[in-house]
Amino acid sequence: MKSDKKSGLTFWLAGGIVAIVCFGLALFCGFRQLMGEPARCGVTTETAQVETGSDSSESKPPGVTDATFQSLVLESKTPVLVDFWAPWCGPCRMMSPVVDTFYNENKGKLNVYKLNCDQNPGTAQKYQIRGIPSLLLFKDGKLVDQIVGSVPKTKLVETFGKYFEEQTSDKLQ
């Protein structure tokens, strides 16, 4: 009889621990967002601005859709950087101010667009986007380079700078 009480207590204790772990995971994984509330992942616009040095006076890159991708990106005479993102993606929200700053610092050298993968799955599938944020650089209608994941602005300049600096030097000659 004592073993029945002991096993019952163990069962309830284990069940309680499982419930606590599940509740914690639900909160961590965006339970609030599923319930219609905004997700709070510890990254706010204010902290992202402080970390990247951007401010709200800077303009943001325009959006591109499946319908406008051909004309805005593939037919562009200047290099084009496309930020594949989704509103629920924490790393995408962290990268947004970095991409905004990069866009503002390089206006005229290249075009920058943001593509919401949830609203435009066709283009994301065409370019086999498996992880976001994904930053793809197109030149003369062809994909020439890409970065997947959240990276500092210095990595954007290092990876993509050579493509639009060539454009500037070509115009000077």
Side-chain angles (χ1 to χ4, degrees):
M1 190 126 174
K2 285 185 177 182
S3 66
D4 289 339
K5 285 184 181 180
K6 197 174 190 180
S7 65
L9 179 62
T10 304
F11 173 76
W12 284 106
L13 184 59
I17 291 171
V18 169
I20 290 170
V21 169
C22 288
F23 181 72
L25 284 173
L27 286 177
F28 180 74
C29 294
F31 180 72
R32 298 179 93 175
Q33 189 173 10
L34 291 174
M35 298 305 292
E37 297 178 25
R40 292 175 177 85
C41 297
V43 177
T44 63
T45 305
E46 294 80 20
T47 58
Q49 288 173 350
V50 169
E51 291 170 5
T52 61
S54 68
D55 62 35
S56 58
S57 65
E58 293 182 342
S59 60
K60 299 188 181 306
V64 65
T65 65
D66 287 345
T68 61
F69 193 84
Q70 177 73 32
S71 62
L72 293 177
V73 178
L74 300 179
E75 295 174 4
S76 176
K77 300 295 180 203
T78 59
V80 179
L81 178 66
V82 181
D83 177 11
F84 288 79
W85 70 286
W88 50 263
C89 170
C92 297
R93 290 184 298 188
M94 289 172 53
M95 275 301 291
S96 186
V98 175
V99 172
D100 295 350
T101 301
F102 188 76
Y103 165 70
N104 284 295
E105 290 176 354
N106 296 292
K107 283 184 180 175
K109 298 177 188 175
L110 80 158
N111 296 328
V112 179
Y113 297 104
K114 295 177 81 68
L115 185 132
N116 183 328
C117 294
D118 289 344
Q119 295 174 351
N120 302 284
T123 304
Q125 288 173 354
K126 179 179 179 180
Y127 290 98
Q128 300 176 354
I129 302 301
R130 302 276 186 254
I132 53 176
S134 285
L135 301 165
L136 278 61
L137 186 79
F138 294 85
K139 187 170 182 182
D140 299 323
K142 294 180 177 39
L143 176 63
V144 293
D145 215 337
Q146 64 184 354
I147 294 176
V148 178
S150 184
V151 296
K153 188 180 78 170
T154 54
K155 182 68 174 173
L156 294 182
V157 172
E158 176 186 315
T159 304
F160 300 135
K162 57 188 168 211
Y163 297 104
F164 59 84
E165 287 171 1
E166 288 174 8
Q167 184 84 6
T168 308
S169 64
D170 289 346
K171 287 181 181 177
L172 294 175
Q173 293 177 352

